Amino acid sequence: MKVLKVDHIGVAVKSLDETLKFYQEMLGLELQGTEVVEEQKVKVAFLPVGDTEVELLESTDPEGPIAKFIDKKGEGIQHIAFRVENIEEAIAELMGKGVKMIDEKPRYGAGGAKIAFCHPKSTNGVLVEISERE
């Protein structure tokens, strides 16, 4: 498995509109776009920063994973994503090394990516996402 770069940092927020004010007005970042990912019950805003991006995540459902994360831990960094060359090979290699995976097969992620999450019990408490993009 080859990790190419930090793809993005996922930040759980209660309100994209309110949070975007800080990132745009205070930091001067430009909004690349938004997308709703129904499967994950989330609305995502993309803010490129150099060769990576900040991904703001707002729940579209009070029972969605982002809403549950915010209820438990509050707003803040929810995950870090690493871009890999081949996600299927990366999943197999991680599992072969004993890493517990939330996703044993890739699923659709925002921005057209194929994604899979490693279980935080295998990553010292950090929710790690691996991502493949064309």
Side-chain angles (χ1 to χ4, degrees), residues 102-129:
I102 293 172
D103 303 297
E104 293 185 5
K105 294 181 180 178
R107 61 179 156 137
Y108 175 81
K114 292 193 286 187
I115 65 169
F117 286 95
C118 302
H119 198 286
K121 289 182 179 178
S122 292
T123 59
N124 300 91
V126 177
L127 183 59
V128 171
E129 174 184 325

Side-chain angles (χ1 to χ4, degrees), residues 13-59:
V13 302
K14 291 180 182 177
S15 167
L16 283 182
D17 291 336
E18 287 301 312
T19 305
L20 280 168
K21 289 178 187 176
F22 171 76
Y23 285 90
Q24 292 179 298
E25 296 172 16
M26 303 303 159
L27 296 180
L29 299 180
E30 291 187 30
L31 177 65
Q32 182 180 19
T34 61
E35 176 183 351
V36 174
V37 182
E38 295 291 343
E39 176 183 306
Q40 296 179 33
K41 300 176 183 175
V42 68
K43 182 175 180 182
V44 182
F46 306 98
L47 299 150
V49 182
D51 197 27
T52 189
E53 61 188 14
V54 174
E55 182 182 86
L56 302 178
L57 306 155
E58 175 187 86
S59 186

Side-chain angles (χ1 to χ4, degrees), residues 92-104:
E93 183 175 331
L94 289 165
M95 289 175 59
K97 291 178 177 178
V99 174
K100 182 177 168 129
M101 298 296 295
I102 293 172
D103 303 297
E104 293 185 5

